[in-house]
Amino acid sequence: MPVFYKWFGPILPQPKVRGAQILKYLFSILIPLFFLAAVLGIWYLKREVANKTNYLQKEIQERKQTETVLKKTLADLEKSNAELEQFTYVASHDLQEPLRASIGFLQLLQSKYKNQLDEKGAALH
């Protein structure tokens, strides 16, 4: 018998139940507590998974919206670039036409007044 029961045994109240009854009583309390802990743990995990799922769905939706906006912006930019290319082509053509007319007029003058031009005038060709 342990020393503790030797010294304090006579003053401690003596249990009237046996060891098997104590274990049965403890297990009748502990098993429902473990079950409750497991249920609460599963509930918590389920809630966390639902929260993460909602968060990820929102993020996916935001990324899809951003992708849609980017595609629209890219299409607008491509359209704008095509319009600018068309404008520069037309502007370049329109600006070159007076220059061609001037060159043509100068060539006409040079051929018509070839004999009357001095060295400087003839060198402009």
Side-chain angles (χ1 to χ4, degrees):
M1 185 177 266
V3 176
F4 177 79
Y5 285 113
K6 243 185 196 178
W7 292 342
F8 297 106
I11 58 172
L12 290 175
Q14 297 298 319
K16 295 184 181 179
V17 288
R18 293 190 228 150
Q21 290 174 329
I22 292 173
L23 286 176
K24 185 178 179 183
Y25 174 73
L26 286 175
F27 280 125
S28 70
I29 293 172
L30 291 178
I31 289 175
L33 285 177
F34 286 135
F35 180 74
L36 179 63
V39 168
L40 288 175
I42 291 170
W43 172 80
Y44 176 77
L45 289 175
K46 185 178 177 182
R47 190 182 74 178
E48 286 298 310
V49 167
N51 287 342
K52 294 286 183 184
T53 303
N54 288 339
Y55 171 77
L56 290 174
Q57 286 174 344
K58 286 179 184 176
E59 188 167 327
I60 289 170
Q61 183 180 7
E62 288 175 3
R63 287 183 184 208
K64 285 183 179 179
Q65 288 174 348
T66 304
E67 184 180 357
T68 303
V69 168
L70 285 174
K71 283 182 180 178
K72 184 184 181 309
T73 305
L74 180 62
D76 290 345
L77 284 173
E78 288 174 349
K79 181 181 175 186
S80 176
N81 282 345
E83 290 173 356
L84 284 173
E85 285 178 12
Q86 181 66 26
F87 173 77
T88 55
Y89 176 78
V90 169
S92 172
H93 185 268
D94 288 350
L95 291 174
Q96 287 177 2
E97 190 56 37
L99 185 60
R100 285 189 198 113
S102 297
I103 290 173
F105 181 71
L106 288 175
Q107 287 174 345
L108 183 66
L109 285 177
Q110 188 179 20
S111 65
K112 186 173 184 180
Y113 295 105
K114 186 179 194 181
N115 299 338
Q116 297 175 1
L117 293 175
D118 60 356
E119 292 177 16
K120 261 183 159 180
L124 293 177
H125 186 292

